[in-house]
Amino acid sequence: MGNAAPAVNTGAESIAWDLSDLYAGHNDPQLSLDMASAATRAKQFADSYRGKINVAGGPAPELIAAATREIESIFEAIGKAGVFAELLHAADLATAHNGALVAWAREASSAVRQDLIFFDLEWIAVEETLAQSIIDHPSCRPYRHYLASIRRYRPHVLSEAEERVLEDKANTGGRAFSRLFDEIFASMKFSVRLDGNERSLNESEVLALLYEPQREVRRIAAAAMTKGLRDNEILLGFIFNVLVQDHAVDDRQRHYANPMDARHLANEISGATVEALMTASEARHDLVQRYYRLKRRLLGLDVLYDYDRYVPLAADTTVTTWSQCRETVLGAYAAFSPEMSDIAAKFFDQRWIDAAPRDGKRGGAFSSSTVPSAHPYVLVNYTGRVHDVMTVAHELGHGVHQYLSRPQGYLQADTPLTTAETASVFGEMLVFDHLRQSLTDPKARLALLCSKIEDTIGTVFRQIGLTRFEQRLHQARRTQGELSREAIGDIWQSVNTALYGDAVILTDDYRWWWAYIPHFIHSPFYCYAYGFGELLVLSLYQQYRREGASFVPKYLKLLAAGGSDTPENLLRPLGMNIADPLFWQQGLEPFRAMVEEAETLAA
């Protein structure tokens, strides 16, 4: 057995974000002052506007505009305190006062929101024709989409008293179990024995070993991950069962017929469009299986196991330093748009990134938009691999998107999940093309191309598979009651077998790997948004290649629009019709071309 790659300094070990643009620290007195002020303003808002929205003849447009402006300001105030607490906690889940601050912020925010619930309920109750005339009035133009979006929930809202109870109980219900899940994984250790040395690794570190060229290292890492999950299987299985049932209760109370309906409504997309996306993806599982058969041959293996999927084709142990990562990503962004590169540079220069993979930190990566009066923050766990460089490109794509959309205001800056992944995946494509153009060696080009193919498999096909798993999990929980961990594993294994066929052999250990996916916990049915974003970007990128520089301002305008309109309306000026099933089938053509190019290069 060869040695695992030694721990090498990348320069990211000291890269921690500076949250002082939000607050000075967990004990900053301004936190309490801002939340107290928001609470006072919320009560004053209720005194001023309660009973004045749903009135005979409809409210004056100017009144609705003024009310929406004030409610946006209050939401931003509690949002700023809440996101600061969440970011502090994500960077250090082990420190007790960080968790306590999250609990305080959530409870205080809930109290404020309860005083504001009446506004949505009264506005939703306004007769449709009257409401539309108000939405179309010039005074309401800055909030047009927000005011229209609220009304989509008309069939699903409850009475004010019921809404207040649900908001209050959420902090000791679903939100509490989500926090528990995060803290379990932040404290979890995975024991790995390599070359006679016992190493205790966190989640990010043990998953990083799946990219090691030595197969035995990958096998040991996968076994260690499985053991960690199985050691906590009772707790993790219980969390999954509780949250799936909590989702079902919420659907029942709010009259959603299907477990995915609430997510579709939030994403401003139809169930038919999502199903077209998913079935188009599933119809091309053959491309995934073709690729993994090719990879098996290139690796010289008789069998490709689940823990072999991520190993790079080139046995490259080169570590990309943090400064090299910065140069690569900013260079790729600058070749497309100097403005995008300048914005992304702010994240490095002004300490808007937390990159060190330390114990107690949340695993994975994300970009938080925070609030429009501040700026986004990015969290990654950087270990120096090419995969990590692509992750930085991905999250900075989010960051640029969120930065550009700030002028839309707190209520309309953020996009639905469907278009939230557009800029992130586009950022990855820019870096991929940038790296590919710098390579002349066919073997190096093949290795990079295969890396991109695998990223696309992970972003489209695997995420659609995760969504199918959720569908079956929620359905089984509703019809069969609480599910055993083994039953959940059966669903997991079945969905993944359909994806990989006989090209990848799934071990018995792999049937436990549903237990570490955070999206199932924090954002049910989030995952199809990745597939949506990837296929959309493959189409957008083909358009960029055809149009060149003239495409750039249209793309930046799309990002700057944020969530100020529906995804369908925002994409129409770029010639994208996401409601057409053929669109998703065509979106898979660039992926087919990549697989065929890899086969040609390999030959």
Side-chain angles (χ1 to χ4, degrees):
M1 183 185 77
N3 293 325
V8 177
N9 289 340
T10 65
E13 293 77 19
S14 61
I15 303 300
W17 52 29
D18 176 7
L19 299 179
S20 62
D21 287 344
L22 297 172
Y23 293 97
H26 77 278
N27 55 358
D28 186 342
Q30 195 63 43
L31 275 162
S32 296
L33 292 174
D34 284 354
M35 197 66 84
S37 172
T40 299
R41 291 170 62 194
K43 293 187 182 302
Q44 292 170 345
F45 180 91
D47 290 340
S48 299
Y49 292 103
R50 184 184 291 278
K52 297 179 182 177
I53 309 300
N54 183 26
V55 293
E62 293 81 4
L63 180 140
I64 293 297
T68 308
R69 194 159 43 245
E70 174 64 4
I71 208 169
E72 178 176 54
S73 178
I74 296 170
F75 279 153
E76 177 151 359
I78 63 174
K80 181 181 177 182
V83 77
F84 173 77
E86 298 286 353
L87 293 178
L88 206 64
H89 190 231
D92 181 7
L93 293 112
T95 298
H97 63 62
N98 289 345
L101 187 67
V102 168
W104 168 80
R106 289 178 178 177
E107 291 163 11
S109 296
S110 289
V112 172
R113 290 179 182 278
Q114 287 180 54
D115 284 332
L116 303 175
I117 285 171
F118 79 91
F119 176 80
D120 284 5
L121 300 180
E122 289 195 30
W123 170 242
I124 285 171
V126 174
E127 192 271 325
E128 187 62 35
T129 304
L130 292 173
Q132 191 60 52
S133 67
I134 293 167
I135 291 169
D136 292 337
H137 192 274
S139 65
C140 291
R141 186 172 294 118
Y143 305 107
R144 188 178 187 281
H145 185 59
Y146 173 73
L147 290 171
S149 295
I150 296 174
R151 296 182 59 81
R152 294 179 296 120
Y153 290 90
R154 191 171 189 174
H156 307 292
V157 296
L158 307 177
S159 70
E160 182 178 353
E162 290 169 316
E163 292 287 355
R164 290 173 70 100
V165 169
L166 288 177
E167 174 63 33
D168 208 21
K169 292 291 289 180
N171 293 310
T172 53
R175 292 172 194 161
F177 280 99
S178 294
R179 175 184 160 190
L180 175 62
F181 176 88
D182 285 345
E183 294 189 359
I184 289 170
F185 274 93
S187 63
M188 199 181 292
K189 289 295 184 180
F190 302 88
S191 181
V192 176
R193 188 172 185 81
L194 298 173
D195 294 326
N197 297 315
E198 197 76 24
R199 296 170 60 186
S200 182
L201 305 180
N202 61 32
E203 179 192 357
S204 296
E205 291 169 331
V206 75
L207 289 175
L209 292 179
L210 296 177
Y211 294 84
E212 285 295 325
Q214 296 86 7
R215 193 182 207 187
E216 183 64 5
V217 172
R218 301 194 301 272
R219 187 193 66 76
I220 290 172
M225 182 71 179
T226 301
K227 184 178 185 305
L229 297 176
R230 295 214 61 179
D231 286 347
N232 292 274
E233 66 174 281
I234 295 176
L235 187 52
L236 293 173
F238 184 74
I239 290 172
F240 267 70
N241 269 289
V242 166
L243 288 178
V244 172
Q245 179 61 11
D246 184 69
H247 188 91
V249 170
D250 202 49
D251 282 350
R252 185 169 64 249
Q253 295 294 330
R254 296 190 179 282
H255 310 293
Y256 289 111
N258 184 285
M260 293 180 73
D261 284 351
R263 177 62 64 200
H264 296 334
L265 196 60
N267 283 345
E268 301 184 62
I269 193 170
S270 72
T273 296
V274 174
E275 188 60 32
L277 158 69
M278 294 176 66
T279 54
S281 166
E282 290 167 331
R284 297 318 313 260
H285 280 175
D286 63 301
L287 293 174
V288 176
Q289 293 162 20
R290 265 174 68 183
Y291 170 73
Y292 279 118
R293 290 190 188 100
L294 171 65
K295 182 169 187 176
R296 184 186 68 210
R297 293 197 301 272
L298 291 170
L299 292 172
L301 298 174
D302 293 329
V303 177
L304 197 72
Y305 289 108
D306 51 77
Y307 52 76
D308 294 321
R309 287 170 299 157
Y310 303 129
V311 59
L313 281 179
D316 184 6
T317 57
T318 302
V319 171
T320 303
T321 66
W322 183 246
S323 61
Q324 290 170 331
C325 171
R326 172 198 166 107
E327 182 180 353
T328 298
V329 174
L330 295 186
Y333 276 30
F336 175 75
S337 163
E339 181 183 357
M340 270 183 57
S341 182
D342 289 345
I343 295 170
K346 294 176 184 290
F347 286 79
F348 293 96
D349 296 338
Q350 299 183 32
R351 295 180 59 196
W352 298 353
I353 305 179
D354 195 303
R358 57 184 174 273
D359 289 346
K361 178 180 173 180
R362 176 176 163 175
F366 65 79
S367 179
S368 170
S369 58
T370 70
V371 290
S373 59
H375 54 78
Y377 281 96
V378 161
L379 179 144
V380 295
N381 285 272
Y382 190 80
T383 62
R385 302 176 186 277
V386 172
H387 176 78
D388 294 332
V389 177
M390 300 303 284
T391 298
V392 172
H394 180 102
E395 298 306 336
L396 285 177
H398 279 305
V400 169
H401 193 176
Q402 293 160 346
Y403 187 89
L404 285 171
S405 68
R406 292 177 307 152
Q408 298 295 340
Y410 186 84
L411 298 177
Q412 295 186 154
D414 288 339
T415 69
L417 295 179
T418 37
T419 45
E421 295 300 329
T422 305
S424 54
V425 178
F426 201 93
E428 285 188 67
M429 285 295 297
L430 291 172
V431 172
F432 166 68
D433 251 5
H434 180 77
L435 291 172
R436 181 158 65 164
Q437 290 166 16
S438 68
L439 298 175
T440 56
D441 176 32
K443 290 184 179 179
R445 288 176 66 87
L446 174 61
L448 181 64
L449 176 60
C450 287
S451 174
K452 180 56 186 171
I453 289 171
E454 290 174 26
D455 283 344
T456 304
I457 290 172
T459 308
V460 178
F461 299 94
R462 181 170 180 268
Q463 298 297 333
I464 296 302
L466 297 183
T467 305
R468 285 294 187 210
F469 165 76
E470 282 190 279
Q471 280 185 322
R472 296 178 188 177
L473 176 71
H474 282 253
Q475 184 60 35
R477 179 66 177 85
R478 294 183 183 200
T479 57
Q480 302 171 28
E482 184 165 302
L483 300 172
S484 68
R485 278 90 64 190
E486 291 76 14
I488 298 174
D490 287 343
I491 299 171
W492 174 258
Q493 208 78 335
S494 172
V495 167
N496 282 281
T497 298
L499 170 58
Y500 297 113
D502 61 1
V504 177
I505 302 303
L506 303 179
T507 62
D508 285 341
D509 278 359
Y510 192 65
R511 66 190 302 108
W512 295 94
W513 283 45
W514 50 269
Y516 84 101
I517 309 294
H519 292 98
F520 299 157
I521 301 298
H522 297 298
S523 305
F525 302 105
Y526 183 119
C527 294
Y528 74 74
Y530 286 109
F532 184 106
E534 178 79 20
L535 295 186
L536 173 61
V537 165
L538 288 175
S539 295
L540 286 171
Y541 209 77
Q542 292 301 310
Q543 186 171 339
Y544 165 51
R545 283 174 170 159
R546 291 192 302 269
E547 298 180 9
S550 64
F551 173 83
V552 175
K554 292 189 290 186
Y555 175 73
L556 295 181
K557 184 179 179 181
L558 171 67
L559 301 191
S564 61
D565 208 335
T566 65
E568 194 168 348
N569 288 342
L570 290 175
L571 289 166
R572 191 172 290 118
L574 285 87
M576 305 288 165
N577 181 9
I578 60 174
D580 183 357
L582 188 61
F583 173 81
W584 302 109
Q585 296 167 25
Q586 293 171 339
L588 286 158
E589 283 303 297
F591 177 71
R592 179 191 57 78
M594 284 192 284
V595 172
E596 291 181 353
E597 182 184 352
E599 290 171 335
T600 301
L601 284 171

